[in-house]
Amino acid sequence: WRDWSSDVCSSDLWVESAILLCFLFLIFACTFLILYNGHVSQRDVFLSSEGDAWYFRNKSRLGENLWEIDVLSKYVKKSDSNRILEVGCSSGIKLATLISQMGGEGYGIDPSSEAIIDAQKNYTDSRLNFARGTVDQLDFESNFFDLIFVAFCFYLVDRNLLPRAVSELDRCLKKGGMVAIADFDPGREYDLPYSHFPGISTFKRNYGNPFLELGYHLAAKESFDHARKEVGFSYEENDRVSIQLLVKP
């Protein structure tokens, strides 16, 4: 009886091990196909894993510097009728701060499900709404927002999805509304490998230009030194970031 029971346990362990190995092989095969089948969808990578990974790497620092909010507070009118969208809202701290200072309703989207869970848990104000999503597919009515704030998202958007992302933002913004873009501002266009996930890239360039081509007006632009974490121009192009405020005609 002992020998038979031992054989059964060994057999069960073998089956479980075989299932685990098959599962790991499936993950490896899927990853291989994604990375080496000609094109890596950065959108899919961030929705499936890297969105959460980015959030966990950075969540402890998200409230350290809210310089973009200081800039926005100088140009955005306070009103209880404001509708504000933040693309890449992460934990929700910036959107919550914006609404507390400027009034109105706030909507935040982010590819990280963990970030959205934390945002919904931490900010229960009925004026705040959080959902998982990406900039290329906005689940909102046309002409809905007075302000759309896009912080450090464009530089990771798939190049084939960038025109759609710009079009979606333009569609959802009211005439006379403002889009605020905080992103890297190197002064030239160049690409770099993304250091946290193989096969994807960062695309550094001026993301106000696509909106200027649509006839938007540049209302303001302020620079920030990413390395020193302070307002001001950086001569090191990799550390130079800015926020641009553009008004829809």
Side-chain angles (χ1 to χ4, degrees):
W1 168 259
R2 286 182 181 177
D3 291 340
W4 181 84
S5 176
S6 176
D7 289 343
V8 170
C9 291
S10 297
S11 177
D12 289 343
L13 277 173
W14 186 89
V15 171
E16 290 175 2
S17 298
I19 292 172
L20 178 59
L21 285 172
C22 290
F23 180 69
L24 292 173
F25 176 79
L26 182 61
I27 292 175
F28 173 80
C30 290
T31 302
F32 180 86
L33 288 172
I34 289 172
L35 293 178
Y36 298 101
N37 198 28
H39 174 69
V40 179
S41 169
Q42 305 205 164
R43 180 184 189 273
D44 291 348
V45 167
F46 273 83
L47 284 170
S48 64
S49 61
E50 182 54 26
D52 287 340
W54 185 98
Y55 176 62
F56 287 128
R57 286 196 305 270
N58 294 278
K59 66 183 295 186
S60 64
R61 303 192 299 270
L62 292 174
E64 288 180 359
N65 198 315
L66 302 180
W67 65 278
E68 308 103 317
I69 308 302
D70 294 335
V71 175
L72 289 171
S73 65
K74 295 190 292 185
Y75 296 98
V76 179
K77 295 179 181 179
K78 296 180 180 180
S79 173
D80 289 337
S81 64
N82 278 335
R83 286 177 178 163
I84 298 173
L85 169 66
E86 183 183 5
V87 177
C89 65
S90 199
S91 68
I93 186 171
K94 291 181 181 179
L95 183 62
T97 304
L98 272 173
I99 295 303
S100 69
Q101 292 185 6
M102 300 172 195
E105 298 176 345
Y107 298 79
I109 63 168
D110 197 280
S112 168
S113 58
E114 295 296 331
I116 294 302
I117 289 170
D118 281 354
Q120 292 172 337
K121 184 190 306 179
N122 295 334
Y123 302 103
T124 57
D125 188 326
S126 61
R127 298 177 299 170
L128 295 172
N129 307 271
F130 299 100
R132 194 164 181 240
T134 55
V135 66
D136 59 285
Q137 191 172 349
L138 299 177
D139 190 20
F140 301 103
E141 299 174 9
S142 299
N143 307 305
F144 189 74
F145 292 107
D146 301 282
L147 169 67
I148 299 178
F149 177 38
V150 188
F152 297 96
C153 293
F154 277 129
Y155 82 106
L156 291 168
V157 172
D158 292 278
R159 297 301 87 180
N160 64 315
L161 294 180
L162 184 60
R164 188 197 301 178
V166 172
S167 177
E168 277 288 86
L169 293 170
D170 180 62
R171 177 185 66 80
C172 293
L173 188 63
K174 294 178 181 178
K175 182 178 181 179
M178 183 179 293
V179 60
I181 303 170
D183 217 310
F184 293 97
D185 187 22
R188 65 185 181 95
E189 296 187 3
Y190 66 96
D191 307 338
L192 290 172
Y194 182 71
S195 60
H196 301 288
F197 196 97
I200 67 176
S201 301
T202 64
F203 308 99
K204 298 189 177 182
R205 59 254 294 129
N206 186 335
Y207 288 105
N209 287 338
F211 293 91
L212 293 174
E213 292 171 2
L214 292 176
Y216 279 61
H217 306 290
L218 181 62
K221 180 176 179 177
E222 296 197 18
S223 297
F224 186 80
D225 189 317
H226 191 260
R228 293 185 295 174
K229 307 298 181 186
E230 62 184 34
V231 174
F233 183 82
S234 172
Y235 287 94
E236 173 52 57
E237 63 180 6
N238 287 329
D239 294 326
R240 189 185 311 140
V241 301
S242 70
I243 182 169
Q244 302 181 64
L245 285 70
L246 301 113
V247 178
K248 184 176 180 178

